[in-house]
Structures are given as C-alpha cells and as structure tokens.
Amino acid sequence: MKSKINVKKTLLVFLALFIIIIALDVIFFSSDYFEGNYFKMDTHISVRGDGKNMDFATRDILRAIDDVDSNMNANSVHSKLYKLNNITNNGIEIDKKFEELLRLADDLKTKSGGAFNIAIKPVIDLWGFNGDFKKVPTNDEIKTALETVNNTKINIESEKISLNHGKIDLGGIAKGYVSDLSREILKKYNINYAIIDFGGNILTYGKKSGNSPFKIAISDGNKGSVGYLTVGETCVITSGGYERYFEENGQKYHHIIDPSTGYPASSGLFSVTIISSNGALADGLSTACFVLGLNKGMELVNEYGVDAVFIDNNKKIYITKGAKFTVTAPDYEIINNG
Ligand code: ADP
Ligand code: MG
C-alpha cells in the first residue's frame, strides 16, 4: 500500500517537473520565427522576423500593401490615383498620411531642383515603363510630354489633392512609404525583430537576440553584392538602373528618368543607397540622387542629414560618415567618407 502511494507521488512529482520544464522552455527559449514570400505591386516581397504574432503582423502588412496599391498605384484602373490622373477634374479626397507623403514629394522636388518630380508620369508612359510595350520615343514626343510635366501644378490641400492637368506617379516613393507603414504594424504587434524586403527596399525592425546588428547587402546588379551595410532599425533603399530596363538596338534604357531631358538618367552612377528611418524620404531621395549624380546628390543627402552609399559606373564607392559599409567584392574601391 505504502509503495503504491510512493509510486503515485513520484509520478506526480515527475509530471509537475515535466510541466515546469515545458513552461520554462516556452517562456525563455521559444522561437516564433516566421518567414514568407509574396508578390504584390509588381514586386517580390519577403518577410522574415521573430515575434509571437509575426504571422498576424505579416497579414496586416500585406493588407496595408493592398491598401497602398488601391490608393496610390497610378497604373491600376481601380486606384484613387488613376481617378485623379484620368477621370476627375475635381481632385480626390486623401487621408492625412497620403497628404504628408505628397508634401514630402513636393519638398523633395524643390530641394532636388526638380530631379525628383512625381509629375514625370507622361514621360514614363511614353517610354512604356508602366506597361508591357516599351520603346524609345521620338525627341518630339519627349518634348511635348515634358511640357506637360513642367506645366503640371499639384494642388495639395487638407486631405485633398487636385491637378490642373498632367498625371502623377508615386512609383519613386511608394515602396518606402510601405516600409513606414510596416514598421508601425510591427510595433503594434510587439515583434522582436523583422527584416522586410520590398524588391530591394529593406526595412529592419527591432533587435535581434544578442543585440547583433543587421547586415544588408548592396547589389552588384548581377545576383551578387558589392558589400554590406551594418545597421540598426532603419530603412535601406537603393535606386539603380540595373533592375528595370529594356534594350533597343543594343542600348539599355532604364526606368529612372531625368526630368531635365526626358531620357533615362545618366549621371555616371550605378546605384544610390539611402539609409534613413524615414522610408518614404529614403526612397524619394535615392531616386533623386540617382538622377542628380554624385556631387549634387551628396549635397542633397547632407541637406536632409541622412546617410548614403553612392556607387559609380567605375566601381568607385562614396559613403557618408555615418554609414558603416564593408566592401566584399573585388575591384570595388571606397574613395571617400562624406
Ligand atoms: P524602384 O521603385 O524600382 O525601386 P525607384 O524608387 O528609383 O526604383 O523608382 C523608380 C520609379 O519612380 C519609376 O518606375 C517611375 O515610376 C518613378 N520615377 C522615375 N523617374 C522619376 C523622377 N525623376 N522623379 C520621380 N519619380 C520618378
Ligand atoms: Mg525611390
């Protein structure tokens, strides 16, 4: 009888210990790592992160992307922007965040001397960069489209936008804006850390275990990388002519247009990467600097007080003082810091 009770007691003690160990494991060693790959806004999106509700956060981020698409994708006939560009003369209602984004685009246009200009859309359309049929336009076509661009007045009021004529395109800034929205969602769900890649536009969020920093590669345009940036929580956004382009008569034409010529920017740069916690700013600035070239681009970067890595067509690298960049590819050379 006595030994039976002892056996029962021992079993109970073991059971209790077992439960405690499992509970401790869940509390201290649980990994809620989540990874997913998606395709939206004509862009490959990868989400990686650790946090109890990472799956819910990802679901909300994908919804936010759909929302941005239905508001700001000038190429989608169902979007608000399409309505503004093609249907109504009375303008469209927008929310506060959309309004702020447009004001940022306006500020970038002024400070870049027009190198960044969301009214560039008629020229983008001529080249066919927003559709399937891409071609080199004639000089006359470009001249006419540029007249429209230069005469477009974007009227931003409180939660409202209207155009006198012309069309606008937020392709140069929208992905960075998505990064900003994603950060808010990750914060809401108390995620430990995450890396979200919107077609080469990277958002790093939170802290990895052991506080190790994030290492973000900069592309060599050919499946490899030039090197990597060591960063904390921020956005790392790159513009280059190597990703979206077409070829005609042996010549490559990419999708970042210099508004002063109407032709793809050819400022001698291979890519510009901006590091800033303001994703929309980083995105707009990377496009602007790619158009402006090294010297004027660096001036603009300094004016906004953000960090950057400029890589030119001769594999020379120019970085601001605050950027921690490590070169890994042979033949590339860091020329200066700042
Ligand atoms: P990606 O979106 O491919 O990462 P960018 O951020 O540099 O690259 O944006 C390029 C897009 O921005 C183009 O597809 C076009 O929609 C738009 N764009 C092109 N040239 C300009 C310009 N000078 N100013 C503003 N937007 C531009
Ligand atoms: Mg951009």
Side-chain angles (χ1 to χ4, degrees):
M1 194 69 188
K2 215 177 170 191
S3 80
K4 236 184 185 175
I5 290 172
N6 269 344
V7 169
K8 234 181 175 179
K9 254 190 179 169
T10 320
L11 274 174
L12 275 174
V13 169
F14 269 115
L15 190 69
L17 273 175
F18 182 71
I19 290 170
I20 289 168
I21 287 168
I22 294 283
L24 283 175
D25 190 52
V26 167
I27 292 167
F28 290 108
F29 304 107
S30 74
S31 166
D32 290 297
Y33 186 76
F34 179 92
E35 199 172 333
N37 294 295
Y38 313 91
F39 190 77
K40 281 179 186 289
M41 287 174 83
D42 207 17
T43 302
H44 291 280
I45 301 161
S46 94
V47 177
R48 282 178 286 152
D50 185 90
K52 199 161 168 284
N53 290 312
M54 196 53 211
D55 46 352
F56 287 117
T58 303
R59 179 201 60 193
D60 283 12
I61 287 168
L62 294 174
R63 278 188 190 158
I65 293 171
D66 285 338
D67 207 40
V68 168
D69 202 36
S70 65
N71 278 304
M72 302 182 184
N73 184 350
N75 304 315
S76 154
V77 292
H78 304 294
S79 75
K80 272 194 169 182
L81 206 53
Y82 186 89
K83 190 175 164 197
L84 176 76
N85 283 337
N86 303 288
I87 300 171
T88 176
N89 288 321
N90 302 325
I92 54 165
E93 308 277 321
I94 52 176
D95 65 19
K96 202 81 214 148
K97 283 185 186 167
F98 196 162
E99 181 193 328
E100 273 170 27
L101 184 70
L102 291 165
R103 291 197 190 280
L104 171 64
D106 191 47
D107 192 56
L108 268 165
K109 181 189 168 188
T110 310
K111 293 202 170 105
S112 69
F116 184 82
N117 186 354
I118 58 173
I120 195 71
K121 183 160 171 52
V123 181
I124 302 278
D125 289 347
L126 257 190
W127 286 89
F129 281 117
N130 290 325
D132 296 329
F133 188 66
K134 299 178 177 60
K135 60 160 180 29
V136 181
T138 65
N139 284 332
D140 279 353
E141 285 174 316
I142 288 181
K143 213 175 138 222
T144 311
L146 275 181
E147 267 167 32
T148 308
V149 173
N150 292 329
N151 291 324
T152 302
K153 294 211 168 32
I154 305 171
N155 189 17
I156 312 164
E157 294 165 72
S158 172
E159 302 189 24
K160 195 180 169 206
I161 173 177
S162 56
L163 305 174
N164 60 339
H165 76 158
K167 292 176 182 183
I168 63 170
D169 170 4
L170 294 171
I173 202 167
K175 285 178 207 155
Y177 177 68
V178 165
S179 300
D180 292 331
L181 297 180
S182 302
R183 184 192 300 109
E184 283 172 24
I185 293 166
L186 293 166
K187 203 175 268 173
K188 192 178 100 189
Y189 280 102
N190 245 325
I191 298 305
N192 301 329
Y193 79 86
I195 304 168
I196 304 186
D197 181 342
F198 305 97
N201 301 263
I202 316 285
L203 166 73
T204 55
Y205 175 82
K207 287 203 159 75
K208 292 210 265 186
S209 57
N211 255 349
S212 61
F214 298 94
K215 288 182 177 172
I216 307 298
I218 295 184
S219 172
D220 65 359
N222 209 5
K223 292 204 167 117
S225 55
V226 175
Y228 62 87
L229 278 160
T230 304
V231 296
E233 180 177 314
T234 195
C235 297
V236 177
I237 296 192
T238 302
S239 281
Y242 54 85
E243 220 157 322
R244 291 180 196 235
Y245 64 85
F246 68 92
E247 281 187 51
E248 199 175 295
N249 295 329
Q251 176 115 19
K252 284 183 180 173
Y253 299 94
H254 63 73
H255 71 318
I256 303 175
I257 301 293
D258 182 344
S260 69
T261 64
Y263 283 83
S266 60
S267 60
L269 293 177
F270 171 75
S271 73
V272 180
T273 300
I274 306 288
I275 306 112
S276 166
S277 57
N278 183 337
L281 173 67
D283 195 355
L285 260 183
S286 69
T287 309
C289 291
F290 186 79
V291 173
L292 284 173
L294 178 62
N295 294 331
K296 284 188 177 164
M298 270 295 179
E299 272 175 32
L300 187 62
V301 157
N302 289 329
E303 192 174 346
Y304 275 104
V306 300
D307 280 308
V309 178
F310 288 63
I311 302 175
D312 76 10
N313 288 328
N314 297 316
K315 301 188 173 180
K316 305 267 186 286
I317 306 169
Y318 304 81
I319 58 182
T320 55
K321 284 212 172 65
K324 283 190 198 140
F325 185 67
T326 308
V327 184
T328 52
D331 308 334
Y332 286 84
E333 186 188 2
I334 294 185
I335 301 296
N336 83 335
N337 281 31

